[in-house]
Amino acid sequence: MPAKQKDLKIEKVLSFLNEIGIDVIEKKLDDTFLPGLSLGSNCIYIDYDKLLYPGDILHEAGHLAVTTSSERKLVGSSEMSPEWPTQSEEIVAILWSFAAANHLQLPLDFVFHPNGYKGDSDWFISNFSNKNYIGLPFLEWIGLTLSDDRALKEGKEAFPVMQKWLRD
């Protein structure tokens, strides 16, 4: 991907995160689970010199977005549960990042790149492209989106359209 095109995608992501209330802070980072990224209290720390996969920014934002507001402020601190994120929150963060990529009109392989998701990127792309939205009931339960049936009843748009981007 040409550097200029990559920069435009990152700028699109950063603008979106600013709009929905997730702060992005540039910071030098040591070794992190995802190169160049770390999470803090309602924020994402980015070390652009170490960032390998800009689509990971949306996945990390998904973790913050699906976490309760009271817990979001604890992220990155010793007060946060060591079990965070749970497996269900991980799946929902993945689905959230799909909705965000869709909303931003970014190619799915920007988020679901071949070097992520334990080798299952193609599996996620295939499932989501075929409207097999793993985790949708949980994403709906936390009030961020609507399933087809509920959206029809309420006269609103269904997933992947989000009703709101951050969990209360």
Side-chain angles (χ1 to χ4, degrees):
M1 171 184 333
K4 180 115 175 119
Q5 190 176 18
K6 184 185 269 185
D7 291 342
L8 292 174
K9 289 177 183 175
I10 291 173
E11 287 305 316
K12 191 181 248 192
V13 168
L14 297 179
S15 176
F16 167 70
L17 295 179
N18 182 56
E19 286 173 25
I20 67 169
I22 295 177
D23 294 328
V24 175
I25 300 168
E26 188 171 353
K27 176 181 176 178
K28 291 290 179 199
L29 298 171
D30 293 326
D31 290 336
T32 54
F33 179 73
L34 293 176
L37 293 171
S38 184
L39 293 176
S41 176
N42 199 42
C43 73
I44 300 172
Y45 297 113
I46 300 179
D47 184 338
Y48 291 101
D49 292 334
K50 293 182 179 177
L51 182 66
L52 295 182
Y53 307 105
D56 288 345
I57 299 168
L58 280 179
H59 176 74
E60 292 303 284
H63 282 297
L64 292 173
V66 303
T67 299
T68 63
S69 59
S70 60
E71 288 184 316
R72 230 181 348 262
K73 62 185 172 194
L74 302 177
V75 172
S77 76
S78 60
E79 296 176 54
M80 189 61 172
S81 168
E83 283 83 39
W84 183 85
T86 64
Q87 287 183 332
S88 59
E89 288 168 328
E90 180 68 39
I91 290 294
V92 174
I94 292 169
L95 189 58
W96 184 97
S97 64
F98 164 76
N102 185 69
H103 175 75
L104 296 172
Q105 299 178 330
L106 293 169
L108 293 183
D109 63 358
F110 175 74
V111 175
F112 302 103
H113 56 84
N115 294 311
Y117 302 92
K118 300 179 183 174
D120 288 333
S121 298
D122 288 339
W123 184 83
F124 282 114
I125 290 171
S126 174
N127 274 279
F128 296 159
S129 296
N130 289 306
K131 298 185 177 186
N132 183 19
Y133 300 131
I134 302 136
L136 182 57
F138 189 91
L139 200 60
E140 183 176 25
W141 180 74
I142 63 174
L144 299 186
T145 194
L146 300 172
S147 63
D148 287 338
D149 291 341
R150 189 162 159 215
L152 185 61
K153 287 176 188 171
E154 295 184 18
K156 296 180 180 174
E157 291 186 79
F159 186 83
V161 172
M162 300 292 279
Q163 301 303 306
K164 61 182 185 176
W165 288 101
L166 296 178
R167 185 176 182 182
D168 293 330

